Amino acid sequence: MGKLTGKVAIVAGAGRGIGRATAELFAAEGAKVAVLSLTRANVNAVVDHIQSKGGTALGVVCDLSDGGQIAEAVAKVVQTFGGIDILVNVAFDPTVVQSSIRDLSIEQLQRNFDMGPIAYLRTMQACHPYLKASGEGRVINFASLAGVLGMSPYGPYNLAKEAVRALTRSAAREWGPDKITVNNLLPVADTWGAGPDTPPPANALGRFGSPEDDVAPVALFLASSDSKFITGSSLTPDGGQIIDSAR
């Protein structure tokens, strides 16, 4: 028996990196996993990997900046698996995250919000009835340490990710009576394949985290019954980089 046996999980943004690692780990722990992402090839690759290991997965190609597509995706998951117990929101658009505040356009900021807190809000709203019916629903939103630290030049990304944290805290308080926990993860991980000349991050452990070994297991903890008394929190699998914010 795995930690998530009998559970249904949606991972929104599961096509690569941390999202893929999370989807694959959840499936290995017994969950039926819906793999949501924009790129069909990525969706198919994750589903094929899960199934090759004996897991259960449903691939759904979905533009997470489109509310209509989110509603259709959630309906398809419920039709296929019968409900939803866990929602993971990890998607973002990496092509628009950098800008100084001085030069930041409203259009670029809007794209960060569309793929971040607005997309997360839509998936949460669409999943809420099923998370409530579960009796032990879990929502895991990926925010960012960049927003906490005000890292430059990530102005639009910082604004959007801090909005994710506010969304998470607000939903945690509102949805507590529905027995749904809502938490954030703020990871520092190598999702692009850092080369040998890439300087290490400024954290206590002096390395980037692994999506598979360092971040996905924390998401698993938040998805499992082990975390049933934690809600509204921001967990930081970041090698200790959050220490910088305590100055």
Side-chain angles (χ1 to χ4, degrees), residues 143-144 146-148 157-167 169 186:
S144 177
V148 176
Y157 183 73
N158 294 347
L159 270 65
K161 287 301 188 180
E162 284 296 272
V164 167
R165 291 213 304 152
L167 168 64
R169 291 192 300 269
L186 285 67

Side-chain angles (χ1 to χ4, degrees), residues 11-26 33 35-36 46 88-92 120 140-145 157 161 185-193 208-220 237-238:
V11 182
R16 59 187 177 182
I18 293 170
R20 175 171 184 159
T22 299
E24 292 175 353
L25 180 58
F26 281 17
V33 179
V35 177
L36 273 59
V46 178
V88 179
N89 283 309
V90 66
F92 73 104
Y120 294 12
I140 303 162
N141 291 329
F142 275 75
S144 177
L145 190 64
Y157 183 73
K161 287 301 188 180
L185 276 181
L186 285 67
V188 172
D190 177 5
T191 60
W192 68 94
F208 292 103
S210 159
E212 294 81 10
D213 298 331
D214 296 317
V215 181
V218 184
L220 173 63
D238 65 353

Side-chain angles (χ1 to χ4, degrees), residues 22 74 83 103 114 120 138 163 169 189 244:
T22 299
V74 170
D103 300 323
D114 286 344
Y120 294 12
R138 302 282 188 268
R169 291 192 300 269
D244 287 347

